Amino acid sequence: ELKVEQNPLFLSMQEGKNYTIYCNYSTTSDRLYWYRQDPGKSLESLFVLLSNGAVKQEGRLMASLDTKARLSTLHITAAVHDLSATYFCAVDINKGAQKLVFGQGTRLTINP
Amino acid sequence: DTEVTQTPKHLVMGMTNKKSLKCEQHMGHRAMYWYKQKAKKPPELMFVYSYEKLSINESVPSRFSPECPNSSLLNLHLHALQPEDSALYLCASSQDVGGANTGELFFGEGSRLTVL
């Protein structure tokens, strides 16, 4: 059974600081996704990582995928309050059939 | 704004009621999904439809009955639910489920269900 583990689960940080969220998974996959969810809202797609070594950047967020280590990272640079949300990684365990397994989520709070 | 529309946004029902959740997308996607999300938990896959045919059922109890009338519409029929079924039900769509597809899911705003 695939396990997707995020670390940390809770993160409180100050504006302007940098930090990284880690996503480890237990089985072979070369498809990994990052989503953002605001309280009471739906999930917003942030990044789609489809191969080993993939790196994507959007604003203050950068995601990478190492399929050999079964590890993805979401790096936050110079955090701002608007980035406060819950971030989920998700792994496709059945390529093409879109059977995503989500990590537990990382609840990020950015304080002024 | 999301291009996947779900109705109703909120639903309260008794355990003997029959109700339906509806989802619509106009992005030309050929795959649609139902996810269930409990508070402070990740979404859990329930059903996947590909080209209007059910391709994945994650052993969901029969009191949840999905229906895909056409490639733009997805329904979830609810009957004899239990209080533990209270959750946020999320609909999503993707371009396809084929290997060449990126697999990116686009989620609706969700229907928050409370079962009394």
Side-chain angles (χ1 to χ4, degrees):
Chain A
E1 179 186 343
L2 171 67
K3 291 185 179 179
V4 182
E5 296 184 343
Q6 290 183 230
N7 177 42
L9 299 183
F10 299 92
L11 178 55
S12 180
M13 53 192 292
Q14 288 189 317
E15 283 190 328
K17 300 292 187 181
N18 305 331
Y19 211 81
T20 300
I21 299 170
Y22 298 89
C23 175
N24 289 92
Y25 53 99
S26 62
T27 194
T28 302
S29 177
D30 57 2
R31 291 179 167 227
L32 190 137
Y33 308 83
W34 284 96
Y35 289 89
R36 167 182 172 150
Q37 188 174 35
D38 292 302
K41 301 293 187 181
S42 186
L43 281 83
E44 174 190 357
S45 177
L46 294 176
F47 298 109
V48 177
L49 303 170
L50 300 178
S51 61
N52 185 40
V55 177
K56 296 278 185 75
Q57 182 164 5
E58 181 71 34
R60 301 176 187 273
L61 300 178
M62 183 172 71
S64 65
L65 177 61
D66 181 343
T67 58
K68 294 179 181 177
R70 299 178 184 173
L71 170 68
S72 180
T73 62
L74 179 66
H75 186 73
I76 303 153
T77 301
V80 293
H81 179 68
D82 286 352
L83 292 178
S84 297
T86 298
Y87 292 85
F88 291 99
C89 63
V91 176
D92 181 2
I93 65 171
N94 193 1
K95 184 175 180 178
Q98 269 306 288
K99 189 170 178 176
L100 292 191
V101 176
F102 284 78
Q104 312 99 305
T106 297
R107 191 178 305 174
L108 174 63
T109 302
I110 299 171
N111 304 303
Chain B
D1 289 343
T2 181
E3 295 186 65
V4 178
T5 305
Q6 291 187 242
T7 56
K9 294 194 185 316
H10 300 275
L11 178 63
V12 179
M13 60 186 292
M15 289 189 285
T16 59
N17 292 157
K18 287 185 180 181
K19 297 286 185 183
S20 297
L21 305 181
K22 298 184 183 300
C23 176
E24 188 170 9
Q25 58 89 12
H26 293 290
M27 294 180 282
H29 289 174
R30 305 314 301 261
M32 297 187 76
Y33 310 75
W34 280 114
Y35 279 83
K36 173 182 178 179
Q37 187 178 27
K38 302 282 277 184
K40 303 187 190 307
K41 296 292 187 182
E44 295 177 346
L45 181 65
M46 299 175 71
F47 303 103
V48 180
Y49 272 83
S50 174
Y51 290 84
E52 303 162 39
K53 294 191 187 307
L54 183 65
S55 59
I56 294 177
N57 176 343
E58 287 289 276
S59 302
V60 179
S62 60
R63 57 186 185 268
F64 295 91
S65 176
E67 178 194 20
C68 189
N70 61 57
S71 60
S72 299
L73 294 174
L74 184 67
N75 299 321
L76 186 63
H77 302 298
L78 314 171
H79 175 54
L81 294 192
Q82 303 298 310
E84 58 265 29
D85 296 321
S86 298
L88 181 67
Y89 288 84
L90 293 162
C91 173
S93 69
S94 68
Q95 188 174 16
D96 203 340
V97 292
N101 163 44
T102 67
E104 184 178 14
L105 296 186
F106 295 84
F107 284 87
E109 292 289 327
S111 293
R112 189 164 299 280
L113 173 66
T114 302
V115 182
L116 301 178

